[in-house]
């Protein structure tokens, strides 16, 4: 999902899992403490981000975003970005979901998968 711009003002961010005592917290308007924690490589990756899967691998720890309040599909979702390689039955379900809620649908080829998990990951 790509969220609409109005949703971002209901978000808080952290430089890592917010359960860590030393996590730097902020909002999208007040994020300097979190940004100060980025390494040079992480800055470059953020500035060069092209939206392709795997581009987040330059980060030493995942960055956390929490959306406060409900996320209403018909109201808060700008578009759905889905893998073009899905099976036909799954593609049809995604199409019906997008149509039901009036959400734009974008199909992309995503050849590379994200594989890096945060330290505190619990399956």
């Amino acid at each position: 999902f790509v969220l609409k711009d109005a949703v971002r003002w209901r978000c808080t961010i952290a430089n890592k899992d917010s359960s860590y005592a030393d996590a730097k917290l902020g909002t999208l308007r007040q994020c300097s403490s979190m940004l100060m924690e980025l390494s040079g490589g992480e800055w470059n990756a953020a500035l060069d981000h092209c939206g392709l899967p795997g581009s987040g691998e330059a980060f030493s720890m995942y960055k956390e975003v929490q959306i406060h309040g409900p996320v209403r599909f018909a109201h808060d979702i700008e578009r759905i970005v889905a893998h073009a390689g899905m099976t036909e039955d799954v593609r049809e379900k995604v199409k019906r979901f997008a149509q039901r809620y009036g959400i734009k649908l974008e199909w992309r080829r995503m050849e590379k998968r994200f594989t890096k998990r945060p330290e505190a990951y619990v399956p």
Side-chain angles (χ1 to χ4, degrees):
F1 294 103
V2 175
L3 299 171
K4 290 186 177 177
D5 287 342
V7 178
R8 66 183 164 170
W9 305 124
R10 296 191 278 132
C11 294
T12 54
I13 57 175
N15 67 322
K16 58 176 139 185
D17 190 314
S18 60
S19 67
Y20 285 94
D22 63 340
K24 303 295 183 196
L25 307 175
T27 66
L28 296 177
R29 287 185 179 157
Q30 298 176 342
C31 57
S32 60
S33 63
M34 190 197 103
L35 294 175
M36 296 282 290
E37 297 294 314
L38 295 177
S39 69
E42 290 173 330
W43 268 107
N44 289 337
L47 294 172
D48 293 339
H49 180 59
C50 59
L52 293 174
S55 56
E57 292 176 0
F59 293 90
S60 61
M61 174 67 82
Y62 77 95
K63 309 308 175 206
E64 181 179 291
V65 177
Q66 291 185 18
I67 302 168
H68 302 276
V71 176
R72 298 159 294 176
F73 296 126
H75 186 264
D76 296 324
I77 306 297
E78 178 72 31
R79 71 182 185 277
I80 297 171
V81 180
H83 192 306
M86 292 178 179
T87 62
E88 192 55 43
D89 63 318
V90 174
R91 285 175 59 95
E92 189 55 40
K93 288 176 185 178
V94 172
K95 275 192 228 179
R96 283 196 313 264
F97 179 86
Q99 288 171 346
R100 177 179 178 182
Y101 292 102
I103 303 170
K104 288 186 247 176
L105 177 56
E106 178 181 325
W107 295 101
R108 285 193 189 173
R109 275 268 165 228
M110 298 179 200
E111 304 303 329
K112 192 172 180 184
R113 295 184 183 269
F114 293 98
T115 57
K116 201 170 193 180
R117 291 187 175 142
E119 231 174 65
Y121 177 78
V122 179

